[in-house]
Amino acid sequence: MEENEELSRYDGDSQNNREALQKIKSKAQSNILIFGIIIVFFLYAGIKILIEVSALESTYSFGVPESEIRLIFKSELMYGIFTIIGKWGCFGFFLILSILVYWVKIKDSLKTIRECNILMAR
């Protein structure tokens, strides 16, 4: 958000402003990289849970033993979430987290980069 405030003060006539735009753009690009890695992690975690639980379900036809499921979920919190919402719920949970990170963090940075490119092209 502070990047957009800096863009609104840009007057467009000196080399210093071009360097300031490049600095703002670089900061936005690093935000995209960092939060992109977080999104990849959330998607990886969701897909990993889905695959591991599906493999256990195909191995045990009459229900997966709790001890086997606890091997997947090392955290008591994640095990509790899994018992409430199931494998698709856990996948959806991580998918929604990924979408939220995109919506809250990456979308603004993409807008900032687009505005910087427009201003630097002048």
Side-chain angles (χ1 to χ4, degrees), residues 27-41:
K27 185 176 178 185
Q29 287 172 333
S30 65
N31 280 343
I32 288 173
L33 178 65
I34 292 167
F35 291 111
I37 291 171
I38 291 171
I39 286 175
V40 168
F41 169 74

Side-chain angles (χ1 to χ4, degrees), residues 35 38-39 42-43 92-108:
F35 291 111
I38 291 171
I39 286 175
F42 285 150
L43 291 175
F93 172 74
F94 284 109
L95 184 66
I96 288 172
L97 281 177
S98 299
I99 292 168
L100 283 175
V101 169
Y102 171 79
W103 193 261
V104 172
K105 294 292 187 179
I106 292 182
K107 188 177 170 191
D108 290 336

